[in-house]
Amino acid sequence: MEWSPASVVRWLFDSERGPSDRLIPRWIFLRALGLIYFSAFFSLVFQIRGLIGPNGILPAGQYLRAVATQLGPARFWFAPTLLWFSSGSHILLALCWVGMLASLLLVLNVWPRVTLAICFVCFLSFVAAAGDFSSYQSDGMLLEAGFISLFLAPPGLRPGWGAAWTSSRASWFLLLWEWFRIYFESGVAKIAGGDPEWRNFTAMDEYYQNGPLPTWIGWYVQHLPHSFHAACVYGTLALELGLVWMFLLPRRFRIILFFIVTPWQIGIILTANYAFLNYLVLALGFLLLDDAFCARFFPARFKKLVPLSAGTSVASSDERNTKQGPYKTSPMTALRLSVTAVMLGWIFYATTAQLIWMFLPTAPLPVSPITALDPFRIANRYGLFAVMTRGRYEIEFQGSLDGQNWVAYPFRYKPQDVRTPPGIYAPYQPRFDWNLWFASLGSWREYPIVPSTEERLLANEPDVLSLFAGNPFAQQPPKQVRAVLWQYWFTTMAEKRSQGVWWRREFRGLYAPTLGRDANGKIEVVEWPSPNVPQP
């Protein structure tokens, strides 16, 4: 290979020079990505109006008007969303249904580049306008993977395995680079964050109990001895800080790494509900493999459908380049290559700089290319569980007709009834329940979703009530609504056997101001929370 600057650019970014032995992993990953996109849009169909609709908890219209007031014409860059045209309920639902349709077409391998672009635009439109309801690292992970996959996916209406079109080396590397950074940056954050629980190997002792949405499997795992949890801490740090570097090693080591991280992610999926996060990391792991390995698992009668037939090998990219002869560049090819090089190079710089800053915070690297990409969430910095949650607190909304007798609004997914076992919901993401878990770890002043929800419940707002499992005031709106705080613990094995309860809980006090309506229908504060209420 000629090592001139132009030839290096073509080797990295030109799909014609990409690796030709990874068609099956690409096919598997893109189908999985379509399913993950579908899960994201499917969960939003039932929630988006209550979250950011005109009568929702945090209306997107109000947020976008505030952005327009502050930023003027720059608002379209810093809030890239189709909801600038309209943020009505019908448009919000249309965004979800279009996203679901496109994701299903992606799963069916119909026009993958176009359907990927539609999924990305629709999901970004929600994320850019949803405020607190889209502040999760998993949203950034999906947008980053979805955008890079535009350069990975084969063109055409029905490309099949895409054997006629390989993917550029840069697109392959950046997806694995994202996979690597999710692990490695999370490991660095655990050490750099200074949480003594990671250093003392106690971080997992109450992890299954204190996460956003536990599972019933996690309940049982929680009761395993400390030695098991300490081993999990050691395994987590070893995997995130050490083993993931094997993705840079030759094929044999990458396959070994795949068989380490895949069971690990399945274990996380079974013991905690982190929406589509772990499913995405699991899917990215398939990019560690190649055709020769994947083809082994196809039944003999399907071997002819696989690009790599049994007992043969696909010609390497260098062999193909030799057969193709001198490289010829048309204006359209040059433009496509330039766009690919600029975008993928830009993402690599932004993500690498953020990784360097984790070790050298004062490193003199240009910041503007990074901040310019921030609104699009395609070049992110990750750091999962840098500090472990010490205690499980739950916010509960209660209504009253007389200010004396209070009735709780039942949640769909959050722990509430001590006799109800924790469920397994992922990849479905109940964003309202998730945000209340975050809010319970801070003050109501930091989380406007709590008083805003109280206001909507005072009006019996249907869109917000749809986020709950039921409405105890279906006949007439409550006179007062309050948010109280409980602390929860998993019960012991003995308590569960004798009483049939999964949780025990203790009342901590009023979390946010109690709201009511005066004689004129105006909302007023009936009672303020005591500053002495214990907080996490």
Side-chain angles (χ1 to χ4, degrees):
M1 173 181 171
E2 178 190 355
W3 289 101
S4 65
S7 64
V8 171
V9 169
R10 289 195 295 269
W11 186 81
L12 284 173
F13 300 104
D14 190 353
S15 61
E16 294 183 7
R17 305 272 171 135
S20 58
D21 61 344
R22 302 178 187 178
L23 303 179
I24 302 176
R26 180 180 68 180
W27 189 93
I28 294 173
F29 170 72
L30 291 177
R31 306 292 77 73
L33 185 60
L35 291 173
I36 292 167
Y37 262 130
F38 181 84
S39 73
F41 289 116
F42 179 78
S43 66
L44 284 176
V45 164
F46 303 100
Q47 306 174 66
I48 195 166
R49 290 181 298 178
L51 298 178
I52 63 171
N55 299 312
I57 297 171
L58 297 179
Q62 293 182 14
Y63 170 75
L64 293 176
R65 284 193 292 272
V67 171
T69 301
Q70 293 185 5
L71 300 179
R75 64 186 183 273
F76 299 112
W77 182 272
F78 289 98
T81 174
L82 296 175
L83 299 182
W84 284 114
F85 297 102
S86 174
S87 58
S89 295
H90 296 302
I91 299 298
L92 293 174
L93 286 176
L95 203 68
C96 299
W97 283 104
V98 170
M100 279 198 295
L101 177 60
S103 60
L104 286 177
L105 291 175
L106 177 59
V107 173
L108 296 174
N109 203 15
V110 176
W111 221 349
R113 282 190 176 179
V114 174
T115 52
L116 272 169
I118 294 173
C119 288
F120 178 82
V121 170
C122 290
F123 194 61
L124 177 63
S125 293
F126 165 76
V127 168
D132 290 346
F133 289 119
S134 62
S135 58
Y136 313 128
Q137 294 189 56
S138 56
D139 292 331
M141 292 177 191
L142 181 54
L143 287 172
E144 183 174 341
F147 184 80
I148 299 172
S149 295
L150 289 169
F151 301 90
L152 181 86
L157 180 62
R158 292 289 292 167
W161 292 101
W165 193 94
T166 58
S167 304
S168 67
R169 287 178 171 83
S171 62
W172 275 99
F173 176 78
L174 279 182
L175 285 169
L176 283 173
W177 179 239
E178 178 186 0
W179 174 89
F180 166 79
R181 286 171 21 248
I182 292 170
Y183 281 107
F184 184 68
E185 290 180 351
S186 296
V188 173
K190 291 175 175 62
I191 300 301
D195 189 343
E197 293 201 32
W198 286 108
R199 299 174 185 270
N200 298 333
F201 291 89
T202 58
M204 304 294 291
D205 285 6
E206 296 185 356
Y207 154 81
Y208 305 95
Q209 167 187 281
N210 295 336
L213 291 173
T215 71
W216 63 269
I217 297 176
W219 187 94
Y220 286 100
V221 176
Q222 180 78 67
H223 290 84
L224 294 175
H226 168 72
S227 57
F228 171 83
H229 299 308
C232 287
V233 172
Y234 178 82
T236 299
L237 296 176
L239 173 62
E240 293 181 344
L241 295 174
L243 292 176
V244 289
W245 287 94
M246 291 168 63
F247 92 104
L248 295 172
L249 297 180
R251 174 179 182 269
R252 182 186 302 270
F253 296 94
R254 296 197 304 270
I255 293 174
I256 293 173
L257 180 58
F258 172 81
F259 281 103
I260 294 174
V261 297
T262 299
W264 192 272
Q265 288 301 324
I266 293 173
I268 297 174
I269 289 170
L270 294 175
T271 56
N273 289 291
Y274 295 122
F276 51 77
L277 188 157
N278 300 103
Y279 289 89
L280 179 59
V281 179
L282 186 72
L284 285 167
F286 278 88
L287 301 180
L288 294 166
L289 306 176
D290 57 27
D291 290 343
F293 177 82
C294 294
R296 299 177 184 178
F297 299 93
F298 280 75
R301 62 181 180 275
F302 293 127
K303 289 289 187 182
K304 60 181 180 180
L305 302 177
V306 183
L308 178 60
S309 300
T312 65
S313 61
V314 177
S316 69
S317 58
D318 289 337
E319 292 173 346
R320 283 188 294 111
N321 295 339
T322 301
K323 295 176 181 178
Q324 289 172 352
Y327 186 85
K328 298 180 180 179
T329 305
S330 66
M332 184 59 65
T333 300
L335 176 62
R336 174 177 53 81
L337 186 61
S338 299
V339 171
T340 301
V342 168
M343 291 309 307
L344 297 186
W346 191 355
I347 292 173
F348 179 68
Y349 168 77
T351 54
T352 303
Q354 293 179 84
L355 177 58
I356 292 173
W357 282 332
M358 295 186 76
F359 296 94
L360 301 171
T362 59
L365 299 172
V367 177
S368 56
I370 302 171
T371 56
L373 287 182
D374 279 347
F376 300 90
R377 304 280 290 275
I378 57 176
N380 307 288
R381 175 174 168 175
Y382 303 111
L384 301 170
F385 293 101
V387 177
M388 299 304 287
T389 305
R390 297 173 177 85
R392 173 170 207 90
Y393 297 85
E394 294 289 353
I395 297 170
E396 182 179 74
F397 293 96
Q398 299 177 347
S400 176
L401 295 174
D402 55 12
Q404 301 296 322
N405 300 295
W406 296 90
V407 181
Y409 286 83
F411 289 108
R412 292 185 182 274
Y413 307 99
K414 270 164 43 72
Q416 190 172 25
D417 183 354
V418 295
R419 295 182 178 274
T420 301
I424 299 178
Y425 312 112
Y428 188 94
Q429 184 171 23
R431 292 176 182 264
F432 177 59
D433 300 60
W434 262 60
N435 271 64
L436 288 178
W437 178 81
F438 285 106
S440 71
L441 302 176
S443 165
W444 66 272
R445 298 180 186 276
E446 304 171 81
Y447 293 91
I449 66 168
V450 176
S452 179
T453 300
E454 290 183 307
E455 291 184 32
R456 301 300 189 272
L457 293 179
L458 276 175
N460 258 0
E461 175 53 51
D463 289 342
V464 174
L465 284 167
S466 68
L467 300 174
F468 293 86
N471 179 15
F473 299 93
Q475 301 302 319
Q476 61 175 314
K479 302 297 183 183
Q480 296 180 19
V481 173
R482 68 180 186 180
V484 298
L485 192 69
W486 297 85
Q487 185 169 5
Y488 277 69
W489 298 267
F490 278 156
T491 54
T492 64
M493 289 285 192
E495 288 173 324
K496 183 177 178 297
R497 282 194 298 265
S498 62
Q499 304 174 38
V501 293
W502 296 79
W503 299 96
R504 61 184 179 89
R505 67 177 189 172
E506 179 180 308
F507 185 73
R508 309 293 282 185
L510 193 63
Y511 173 82
T514 300
L515 301 184
R517 292 188 182 274
D518 61 18
N520 298 319
K522 183 179 179 181
I523 295 178
E524 61 178 358
V525 175
V526 177
E527 182 182 1
W528 292 91
S530 169
N532 298 322
V533 173
Q535 292 286 340

